[in-house]
Short mmCIF file of all heavy atoms in Angstrom, two decimals:
data_model
loop_
_atom_site.label_atom_id
_atom_site.label_comp_id
_atom_site.label_asym_id
_atom_site.label_seq_id
_atom_site.Cartn_x
_atom_site.Cartn_y
_atom_site.Cartn_z
N HIS A 743 3.38 6.00 -2.55
CA HIS A 743 4.68 6.69 -2.96
C HIS A 743 4.83 6.88 -4.36
O HIS A 743 5.12 7.85 -4.86
CB HIS A 743 5.86 5.90 -2.30
CG HIS A 743 7.18 6.59 -2.71
ND1 HIS A 743 7.96 6.27 -3.66
CD2 HIS A 743 7.72 7.65 -2.05
CE1 HIS A 743 9.00 6.97 -3.78
NE2 HIS A 743 9.02 7.79 -2.68
N ARG A 744 4.54 5.87 -5.21
CA ARG A 744 4.63 5.93 -6.61
C ARG A 744 3.66 6.92 -7.26
O ARG A 744 3.81 7.73 -8.09
CB ARG A 744 4.50 4.54 -7.20
CG ARG A 744 4.70 4.49 -8.71
CD ARG A 744 4.75 3.15 -9.22
NE ARG A 744 3.64 2.46 -8.81
CZ ARG A 744 3.43 1.04 -9.04
NH1 ARG A 744 4.40 0.41 -9.69
NH2 ARG A 744 2.35 0.44 -8.62
N THR A 745 2.39 6.95 -6.64
CA THR A 745 1.41 7.89 -6.96
C THR A 745 1.75 9.30 -6.71
O THR A 745 1.66 10.16 -7.61
CB THR A 745 -0.05 7.56 -6.37
OG1 THR A 745 -0.31 6.31 -6.55
CG2 THR A 745 -0.97 8.47 -6.80
N ILE A 746 2.34 9.58 -5.55
CA ILE A 746 2.84 10.87 -5.13
C ILE A 746 3.97 11.41 -6.07
O ILE A 746 4.06 12.51 -6.44
CB ILE A 746 3.12 10.86 -3.70
CG1 ILE A 746 1.87 10.82 -2.83
CG2 ILE A 746 3.83 12.29 -3.32
CD1 ILE A 746 1.99 10.85 -1.39
N LYS A 747 4.86 10.41 -6.39
CA LYS A 747 5.96 10.70 -7.10
C LYS A 747 5.59 11.06 -8.56
O LYS A 747 6.14 11.97 -9.15
CB LYS A 747 7.03 9.56 -7.09
CG LYS A 747 8.26 9.86 -7.73
CD LYS A 747 9.28 8.77 -7.69
CE LYS A 747 10.53 8.99 -8.36
NZ LYS A 747 11.46 7.91 -8.31
N THR A 748 4.62 10.38 -9.04
CA THR A 748 4.12 10.47 -10.43
C THR A 748 3.30 11.87 -10.58
O THR A 748 3.46 12.55 -11.53
CB THR A 748 3.31 9.43 -10.89
OG1 THR A 748 4.11 8.20 -10.78
CG2 THR A 748 2.90 9.46 -12.39
N PHE A 749 2.32 11.96 -9.63
CA PHE A 749 1.43 13.12 -9.75
C PHE A 749 1.61 14.16 -8.66
O PHE A 749 0.73 14.86 -8.38
CB PHE A 749 -0.07 12.52 -9.56
CG PHE A 749 -0.40 11.56 -10.64
CD1 PHE A 749 -0.58 10.16 -10.46
CD2 PHE A 749 -0.68 11.99 -12.04
CE1 PHE A 749 -0.94 9.24 -11.30
CE2 PHE A 749 -0.86 11.10 -12.89
CZ PHE A 749 -1.17 9.83 -12.60
N GLY A 750 2.93 14.28 -8.25
CA GLY A 750 3.24 15.26 -7.22
C GLY A 750 2.91 16.71 -7.51
O GLY A 750 2.23 17.39 -6.79
N PRO A 751 3.34 17.12 -8.80
CA PRO A 751 3.00 18.54 -9.12
C PRO A 751 1.58 18.77 -9.33
O PRO A 751 1.06 19.85 -9.03
CB PRO A 751 3.81 18.75 -10.47
CG PRO A 751 4.82 17.75 -10.43
CD PRO A 751 4.35 16.58 -9.67
N GLU A 752 0.74 17.78 -9.85
CA GLU A 752 -0.65 17.95 -9.91
C GLU A 752 -1.35 18.06 -8.55
O GLU A 752 -2.28 18.71 -8.45
CB GLU A 752 -1.23 16.89 -10.96
CG GLU A 752 -0.76 16.92 -12.30
CD GLU A 752 0.67 16.56 -12.65
OE1 GLU A 752 1.21 15.87 -11.72
OE2 GLU A 752 1.13 16.95 -13.73
N LEU A 753 -0.88 17.13 -7.77
CA LEU A 753 -1.55 17.25 -6.38
C LEU A 753 -1.18 18.60 -5.70
O LEU A 753 -2.06 19.24 -4.97
CB LEU A 753 -0.96 16.11 -5.48
CG LEU A 753 -1.42 14.69 -5.88
CD1 LEU A 753 -0.71 13.62 -5.22
CD2 LEU A 753 -2.88 14.57 -5.75
N GLN A 754 0.04 19.07 -5.95
CA GLN A 754 0.38 20.39 -5.35
C GLN A 754 -0.45 21.37 -5.94
O GLN A 754 -0.83 22.33 -5.10
CB GLN A 754 1.92 20.54 -5.62
CG GLN A 754 2.38 21.97 -5.00
CD GLN A 754 3.88 22.10 -5.34
OE1 GLN A 754 4.49 21.34 -6.12
NE2 GLN A 754 4.39 23.21 -4.94
N ILE A 755 -0.70 21.53 -7.30
CA ILE A 755 -1.50 22.59 -7.79
C ILE A 755 -2.92 22.56 -7.21
O ILE A 755 -3.44 23.55 -6.95
CB ILE A 755 -1.46 22.56 -9.33
CG1 ILE A 755 -2.14 23.67 -9.84
CG2 ILE A 755 -2.17 21.22 -9.73
CD1 ILE A 755 -2.16 23.75 -11.30
N LEU A 756 -3.46 21.43 -7.03
CA LEU A 756 -4.80 21.19 -6.46
C LEU A 756 -4.83 21.69 -4.93
O LEU A 756 -5.84 22.43 -4.60
CB LEU A 756 -5.27 19.68 -6.46
CG LEU A 756 -5.71 19.26 -7.86
CD1 LEU A 756 -5.97 17.66 -7.73
CD2 LEU A 756 -6.77 19.94 -8.45
N ILE A 757 -3.84 21.41 -4.12
CA ILE A 757 -3.77 22.00 -2.91
C ILE A 757 -3.64 23.38 -2.71
O ILE A 757 -4.35 24.14 -2.01
CB ILE A 757 -2.69 21.19 -2.03
CG1 ILE A 757 -3.01 19.69 -1.84
CG2 ILE A 757 -2.33 21.93 -0.71
CD1 ILE A 757 -1.91 18.93 -1.32
N LEU A 758 -2.65 23.93 -3.68
CA LEU A 758 -2.54 25.40 -3.73
C LEU A 758 -3.78 26.18 -4.21
O LEU A 758 -4.19 27.28 -3.63
CB LEU A 758 -1.44 25.74 -4.67
CG LEU A 758 0.00 25.56 -4.14
CD1 LEU A 758 0.93 25.81 -5.35
CD2 LEU A 758 0.33 26.46 -2.96
N PHE A 759 -4.43 25.45 -5.11
CA PHE A 759 -5.77 26.09 -5.62
C PHE A 759 -6.88 26.12 -4.46
O PHE A 759 -7.46 27.11 -4.27
CB PHE A 759 -6.30 25.37 -6.83
CG PHE A 759 -7.70 25.92 -7.17
CD1 PHE A 759 -7.78 27.08 -7.76
CD2 PHE A 759 -8.74 25.20 -6.88
CE1 PHE A 759 -9.04 27.60 -8.22
CE2 PHE A 759 -10.10 25.54 -7.29
CZ PHE A 759 -10.16 26.82 -7.97
N ALA A 760 -6.84 24.98 -3.79
CA ALA A 760 -7.96 25.06 -2.72
C ALA A 760 -7.55 26.03 -1.63
O ALA A 760 -8.55 26.62 -1.07
CB ALA A 760 -7.92 23.53 -2.04
N ILE A 761 -6.37 26.19 -1.19
CA ILE A 761 -6.04 27.18 -0.22
C ILE A 761 -6.25 28.64 -0.69
O ILE A 761 -6.83 29.45 0.07
CB ILE A 761 -4.41 26.98 0.19
CG1 ILE A 761 -4.35 25.68 0.95
CG2 ILE A 761 -4.01 28.15 1.14
CD1 ILE A 761 -2.82 25.25 1.12
N ASP A 762 -5.74 28.83 -1.92
CA ASP A 762 -5.94 30.21 -2.40
C ASP A 762 -7.50 30.47 -2.73
O ASP A 762 -7.94 31.69 -2.46
CB ASP A 762 -5.18 30.58 -3.69
CG ASP A 762 -3.74 30.61 -3.40
OD1 ASP A 762 -3.37 30.99 -2.35
OD2 ASP A 762 -2.86 30.44 -4.35
N TYR A 763 -8.17 29.59 -3.23
CA TYR A 763 -9.63 29.73 -3.24
C TYR A 763 -10.30 30.18 -1.90
O TYR A 763 -11.18 30.97 -1.89
CB TYR A 763 -10.36 28.46 -3.95
CG TYR A 763 -11.73 28.53 -4.23
CD1 TYR A 763 -12.22 29.04 -5.35
CD2 TYR A 763 -12.71 28.14 -3.25
CE1 TYR A 763 -13.63 29.15 -5.63
CE2 TYR A 763 -13.98 28.30 -3.51
CZ TYR A 763 -14.47 28.86 -4.66
OH TYR A 763 -15.80 29.03 -4.87
N ASN A 764 -10.08 29.38 -0.97
CA ASN A 764 -10.56 29.62 0.40
C ASN A 764 -10.20 31.04 0.89
O ASN A 764 -10.95 31.81 1.31
CB ASN A 764 -10.21 28.59 1.30
CG ASN A 764 -10.81 28.66 2.56
OD1 ASN A 764 -11.98 28.93 2.70
ND2 ASN A 764 -9.98 28.58 3.63
N CYS A 765 -8.96 31.40 0.70
CA CYS A 765 -8.43 32.64 1.22
C CYS A 765 -9.15 33.85 0.37
O CYS A 765 -9.61 34.79 1.02
CB CYS A 765 -6.88 32.75 0.98
SG CYS A 765 -6.07 31.82 2.36
N ILE A 766 -9.26 33.62 -0.89
CA ILE A 766 -9.79 34.77 -1.78
C ILE A 766 -11.27 34.82 -1.50
O ILE A 766 -11.80 36.12 -1.32
CB ILE A 766 -9.63 34.51 -3.32
CG1 ILE A 766 -8.01 34.86 -3.51
CG2 ILE A 766 -10.36 35.45 -4.10
CD1 ILE A 766 -7.66 34.65 -5.03
N HIS A 767 -12.00 33.82 -1.39
CA HIS A 767 -13.45 33.89 -1.36
C HIS A 767 -13.87 34.14 0.13
O HIS A 767 -14.94 34.96 0.38
CB HIS A 767 -14.03 32.56 -1.77
CG HIS A 767 -14.12 32.56 -3.30
ND1 HIS A 767 -15.18 33.10 -4.09
CD2 HIS A 767 -13.30 31.92 -4.10
CE1 HIS A 767 -14.99 32.94 -5.27
NE2 HIS A 767 -13.90 32.17 -5.51
N TYR A 768 -13.27 33.52 1.12
CA TYR A 768 -13.86 33.64 2.51
C TYR A 768 -13.06 34.29 3.53
O TYR A 768 -13.66 34.69 4.59
CB TYR A 768 -14.11 32.17 2.91
CG TYR A 768 -14.96 31.43 1.94
CD1 TYR A 768 -14.47 30.31 1.28
CD2 TYR A 768 -16.35 31.74 1.79
CE1 TYR A 768 -15.16 29.64 0.31
CE2 TYR A 768 -17.10 30.96 0.93
CZ TYR A 768 -16.54 29.97 0.08
OH TYR A 768 -17.38 29.29 -0.76
N LEU A 769 -11.77 34.52 3.33
CA LEU A 769 -11.01 35.18 4.37
C LEU A 769 -10.61 36.63 4.11
O LEU A 769 -11.19 37.59 4.86
CB LEU A 769 -9.66 34.36 4.66
CG LEU A 769 -9.91 32.87 5.07
CD1 LEU A 769 -8.51 32.36 5.23
CD2 LEU A 769 -10.66 32.97 6.47
N SER A 770 -9.74 36.91 3.12
CA SER A 770 -9.34 38.26 2.98
C SER A 770 -9.42 38.84 1.56
O SER A 770 -9.04 40.06 1.49
CB SER A 770 -7.76 38.33 3.50
OG SER A 770 -7.11 37.49 2.49
N GLY A 771 -9.80 38.16 0.68
CA GLY A 771 -9.97 38.79 -0.71
C GLY A 771 -8.59 38.75 -1.43
O GLY A 771 -8.34 39.50 -2.32
N SER A 772 -7.69 37.96 -0.92
CA SER A 772 -6.28 37.81 -1.43
C SER A 772 -5.83 36.30 -1.32
O SER A 772 -6.49 35.59 -0.56
CB SER A 772 -5.30 38.81 -0.92
OG SER A 772 -5.23 38.50 0.51
N THR A 773 -4.80 35.97 -1.96
CA THR A 773 -4.18 34.64 -1.88
C THR A 773 -3.56 34.61 -0.63
O THR A 773 -3.42 35.57 0.13
CB THR A 773 -3.11 34.33 -3.10
OG1 THR A 773 -2.09 35.20 -2.85
CG2 THR A 773 -3.77 34.59 -4.40
N ALA A 774 -3.11 33.35 -0.27
CA ALA A 774 -2.60 33.10 1.14
C ALA A 774 -1.24 33.94 1.27
O ALA A 774 -0.93 34.55 2.30
CB ALA A 774 -2.24 31.62 1.34
N CYS A 775 -0.42 33.99 0.23
CA CYS A 775 0.83 34.70 0.27
C CYS A 775 0.52 36.13 0.38
O CYS A 775 1.37 36.95 1.14
CB CYS A 775 1.78 34.30 -0.88
SG CYS A 775 2.18 32.75 -1.10
N GLU A 776 -0.41 36.74 -0.26
CA GLU A 776 -0.63 38.18 -0.36
C GLU A 776 -1.31 38.53 1.10
O GLU A 776 -1.13 39.62 1.61
CB GLU A 776 -1.63 38.55 -1.36
CG GLU A 776 -1.07 38.39 -2.82
CD GLU A 776 -2.15 38.34 -3.88
OE1 GLU A 776 -3.35 38.24 -3.52
OE2 GLU A 776 -1.70 38.48 -5.06
N MET A 777 -2.02 37.53 1.70
CA MET A 777 -2.73 37.82 2.94
C MET A 777 -1.61 38.13 4.11
O MET A 777 -1.84 38.95 4.92
CB MET A 777 -3.56 36.64 3.31
CG MET A 777 -4.47 36.81 4.56
SD MET A 777 -5.60 35.57 4.82
CE MET A 777 -4.65 34.15 5.03
N VAL A 778 -0.47 37.41 3.96
CA VAL A 778 0.58 37.65 4.92
C VAL A 778 1.03 39.08 4.92
O VAL A 778 1.32 39.70 6.05
CB VAL A 778 1.81 36.83 4.61
CG1 VAL A 778 2.96 37.06 5.40
CG2 VAL A 778 1.37 35.21 4.68
N TYR A 779 0.87 39.70 3.77
CA TYR A 779 1.55 41.20 3.66
C TYR A 779 0.38 42.21 3.88
O TYR A 779 0.48 43.32 3.60
CB TYR A 779 2.19 41.33 2.33
CG TYR A 779 3.47 40.66 2.39
CD1 TYR A 779 3.68 39.49 1.50
CD2 TYR A 779 4.69 41.01 2.98
CE1 TYR A 779 4.81 38.70 1.49
CE2 TYR A 779 5.74 40.32 3.13
CZ TYR A 779 5.86 39.01 2.29
OH TYR A 779 7.02 38.37 2.14
N GLY A 780 -0.93 41.66 4.05
CA GLY A 780 -2.02 42.57 4.29
C GLY A 780 -2.61 43.15 2.84
O GLY A 780 -3.19 44.12 2.88
N LEU A 781 -2.36 42.44 1.76
CA LEU A 781 -2.72 42.91 0.45
C LEU A 781 -4.18 42.55 0.26
O LEU A 781 -4.59 41.35 0.80
CB LEU A 781 -1.80 42.49 -0.55
CG LEU A 781 -0.38 42.81 -0.41
CD1 LEU A 781 0.47 42.27 -1.55
CD2 LEU A 781 -0.19 44.44 -0.53
N LYS A 782 -4.80 43.09 -0.78
CA LYS A 782 -6.13 42.62 -1.12
C LYS A 782 -6.31 42.87 -2.64
O LYS A 782 -5.99 43.96 -3.05
CB LYS A 782 -7.30 43.49 -0.36
CG LYS A 782 -8.64 43.03 -0.76
CD LYS A 782 -9.66 43.71 0.03
CE LYS A 782 -11.09 43.23 -0.22
NZ LYS A 782 -12.17 43.90 0.42
N ARG A 783 -6.87 41.91 -3.24
CA ARG A 783 -7.11 42.10 -4.74
C ARG A 783 -8.26 42.86 -5.06
O ARG A 783 -9.37 42.78 -4.43
CB ARG A 783 -7.20 40.67 -5.43
CG ARG A 783 -5.89 39.89 -5.44
CD ARG A 783 -5.98 38.61 -6.16
NE ARG A 783 -4.59 38.07 -6.10
CZ ARG A 783 -4.05 37.53 -7.18
NH1 ARG A 783 -4.58 37.75 -8.28
NH2 ARG A 783 -2.85 37.00 -7.20
N SER A 784 -8.23 43.77 -5.99
CA SER A 784 -9.27 44.47 -6.54
C SER A 784 -8.99 44.78 -8.03
O SER A 784 -7.93 44.48 -8.54
CB SER A 784 -9.50 45.86 -5.86
OG SER A 784 -8.16 46.59 -5.95
N LYS A 785 -10.05 45.35 -8.73
CA LYS A 785 -9.72 45.68 -10.09
C LYS A 785 -10.26 47.05 -10.41
O LYS A 785 -11.01 47.65 -9.63
CB LYS A 785 -10.59 44.67 -11.06
CG LYS A 785 -11.95 44.81 -10.89
CD LYS A 785 -12.64 43.66 -11.95
CE LYS A 785 -14.06 43.68 -11.83
NZ LYS A 785 -14.73 42.73 -12.72
N LEU A 786 -9.64 47.70 -11.42
CA LEU A 786 -10.00 48.99 -11.93
C LEU A 786 -10.98 48.95 -13.09
O LEU A 786 -10.83 48.09 -13.92
CB LEU A 786 -8.75 49.67 -12.47
CG LEU A 786 -8.14 50.61 -11.48
CD1 LEU A 786 -6.81 50.20 -11.24
CD2 LEU A 786 -8.16 51.87 -12.14
N VAL A 787 -11.90 49.60 -12.97
CA VAL A 787 -13.05 49.66 -14.08
C VAL A 787 -13.17 51.14 -14.43
O VAL A 787 -13.10 52.07 -13.63
CB VAL A 787 -14.43 49.17 -13.60
CG1 VAL A 787 -14.29 47.62 -13.39
CG2 VAL A 787 -14.98 49.80 -12.30
N GLN A 788 -13.40 51.35 -15.73
CA GLN A 788 -13.60 52.67 -16.26
C GLN A 788 -15.02 53.08 -16.06
O GLN A 788 -15.93 52.37 -16.29
CB GLN A 788 -13.20 52.69 -17.82
CG GLN A 788 -13.20 53.99 -18.46
CD GLN A 788 -12.69 53.99 -19.84
OE1 GLN A 788 -12.52 53.00 -20.43
NE2 GLN A 788 -12.64 55.05 -20.45
N ILE A 789 -15.05 54.41 -15.50
CA ILE A 789 -16.40 55.07 -15.41
C ILE A 789 -16.83 55.48 -16.68
O ILE A 789 -16.18 56.28 -17.41
CB ILE A 789 -16.24 56.23 -14.35
CG1 ILE A 789 -15.70 55.80 -13.03
CG2 ILE A 789 -17.59 56.99 -14.24
CD1 ILE A 789 -15.34 56.94 -12.05
N PRO A 790 -18.17 55.06 -17.08
CA PRO A 790 -18.52 55.38 -18.42
C PRO A 790 -19.15 56.89 -18.35
O PRO A 790 -19.90 57.20 -17.47
CB PRO A 790 -19.81 54.40 -18.54
CG PRO A 790 -20.29 53.99 -17.15
CD PRO A 790 -18.89 54.05 -16.39
N ALA A 791 -18.61 57.56 -19.27
CA ALA A 791 -19.07 59.03 -19.38
C ALA A 791 -19.08 59.28 -20.93
O ALA A 791 -18.03 59.08 -21.56
CB ALA A 791 -18.27 59.87 -18.63
N SER A 792 -19.96 59.85 -21.55
CA SER A 792 -20.16 60.10 -22.86
C SER A 792 -19.34 61.30 -23.29
O SER A 792 -18.83 61.41 -24.40
CB SER A 792 -21.52 60.32 -23.34
OG SER A 792 -22.05 61.39 -22.57
N SER A 793 -19.10 62.25 -22.39
CA SER A 793 -18.34 63.49 -22.70
C SER A 793 -16.83 63.32 -22.51
O SER A 793 -15.99 64.23 -22.95
CB SER A 793 -18.77 64.61 -21.92
OG SER A 793 -18.61 64.40 -20.59
N GLN A 794 -16.40 62.20 -21.89
CA GLN A 794 -14.95 62.19 -21.66
C GLN A 794 -14.22 61.53 -22.86
O GLN A 794 -14.72 60.53 -23.52
CB GLN A 794 -14.64 61.18 -20.58
CG GLN A 794 -15.15 61.80 -19.26
CD GLN A 794 -14.86 60.82 -18.09
OE1 GLN A 794 -14.55 59.74 -18.29
NE2 GLN A 794 -15.20 61.37 -16.82
N SER A 795 -13.10 62.06 -23.05
CA SER A 795 -12.29 61.39 -24.24
C SER A 795 -11.48 60.26 -23.67
O SER A 795 -11.46 60.16 -22.50
CB SER A 795 -11.44 62.42 -24.91
OG SER A 795 -10.47 62.80 -23.88
N ALA A 796 -10.84 59.55 -24.54
CA ALA A 796 -10.08 58.37 -24.05
C ALA A 796 -8.92 58.79 -23.19
O ALA A 796 -8.54 57.99 -22.36
CB ALA A 796 -9.58 57.49 -25.37
N SER A 797 -8.26 59.86 -23.46
CA SER A 797 -7.20 60.33 -22.64
C SER A 797 -7.56 60.79 -21.28
O SER A 797 -6.77 60.85 -20.32
CB SER A 797 -6.36 61.45 -23.40
OG SER A 797 -7.17 62.43 -23.56
N ASN A 798 -8.73 61.20 -21.11
CA ASN A 798 -9.25 61.76 -19.82
C ASN A 798 -10.09 60.82 -19.08
O ASN A 798 -10.95 61.20 -18.26
CB ASN A 798 -10.06 63.04 -20.08
CG ASN A 798 -9.26 64.20 -20.67
OD1 ASN A 798 -8.04 63.97 -21.09
ND2 ASN A 798 -9.84 65.25 -20.57
N ALA A 799 -10.05 59.48 -19.39
CA ALA A 799 -10.77 58.44 -18.74
C ALA A 799 -10.61 58.43 -17.22
O ALA A 799 -9.56 58.63 -16.83
CB ALA A 799 -10.58 57.18 -19.40
N GLN A 800 -11.72 58.32 -16.59
CA GLN A 800 -11.75 58.22 -15.14
C GLN A 800 -11.95 56.67 -14.67
O GLN A 800 -12.76 55.96 -15.33
CB GLN A 800 -12.83 59.01 -14.52
CG GLN A 800 -12.63 60.53 -14.93
CD GLN A 800 -12.57 61.40 -13.62
OE1 GLN A 800 -13.09 61.00 -12.57
NE2 GLN A 800 -11.96 62.55 -13.77
#
Side-chain angles (χ1 to χ4, degrees):
H743 180 265
R744 191 171 46 190
T745 303
I746 290 174
K747 187 175 180 182
T748 305
F749 298 110
E752 287 78 14
L753 293 172
Q754 182 181 2
I755 191 175
L756 289 174
I757 292 168
L758 284 173
F759 174 73
I761 291 169
D762 284 340
Y763 182 89
N764 187 44
C765 288
I766 287 177
H767 281 278
Y768 304 112
L769 295 178
S770 66
S772 58
T773 63
C775 294
E776 295 166 344
M777 189 171 60
V778 171
Y779 296 104
L781 302 175
K782 183 176 179 180
R783 289 185 179 231
S784 58
K785 67 179 178 180
L786 255 120
V787 293
Q788 187 173 2
I789 300 172
S792 58
S793 63
Q794 293 178 352
S795 66
S797 62
N798 295 12
Q800 301 235 341

